Amino acid sequence: MAEPVIAQTAPFGVDVEAGKEYWWCRCGRSAKQPFCDGSHKTTEFRPVQYKAEQTAKVFFCGCKHSAKQPLCDGTHKQYR
């Protein structure tokens, strides 16, 4: 399996709205990080849907290696 591009070695803090769907970029190539802009189309990666259960700030993975995709689990610390 191919490796995703590391978009950044920190999470992306995003204010999300309850009930809204977000599409997290899994490949790391999107210019609209942390969200998908279709750049994955030439890769084997596909975006991951995230549906907000409540209005809050959540932290989306920036390194693209989190075990809790699309959310950050601290894995980015090994890439600094």
Side-chain angles (χ1 to χ4, degrees), residues 1-41:
M1 179 176 219
E3 287 290 313
V5 173
I6 296 173
Q8 71 178 26
T9 55
F12 291 94
V14 178
D15 293 318
V16 298
E17 293 179 41
K20 188 172 177 183
E21 293 179 359
Y22 299 85
W23 290 91
W24 175 74
C25 168
R26 182 184 276 167
C27 72
R29 296 172 182 234
S30 175
K32 296 182 177 184
Q33 290 294 332
F35 304 115
C36 178
D37 69 0
S39 296
H40 66 274
K41 292 180 181 177

Side-chain angles (χ1 to χ4, degrees), residues 13-69:
V14 178
D15 293 318
V16 298
E17 293 179 41
K20 188 172 177 183
E21 293 179 359
Y22 299 85
W23 290 91
W24 175 74
C25 168
R26 182 184 276 167
C27 72
R29 296 172 182 234
S30 175
K32 296 182 177 184
Q33 290 294 332
F35 304 115
C36 178
D37 69 0
S39 296
H40 66 274
K41 292 180 181 177
T42 60
T43 74
E44 63 188 67
F45 296 99
R46 298 295 172 260
V48 175
Q49 180 186 35
Y50 176 81
K51 187 168 183 178
E53 293 180 10
Q54 59 186 2
T55 298
K57 177 170 255 179
V58 298
F59 293 88
F60 288 94
C61 176
C63 74
K64 311 303 176 183
H65 289 84
S66 174
K68 294 184 178 183
Q69 295 180 356

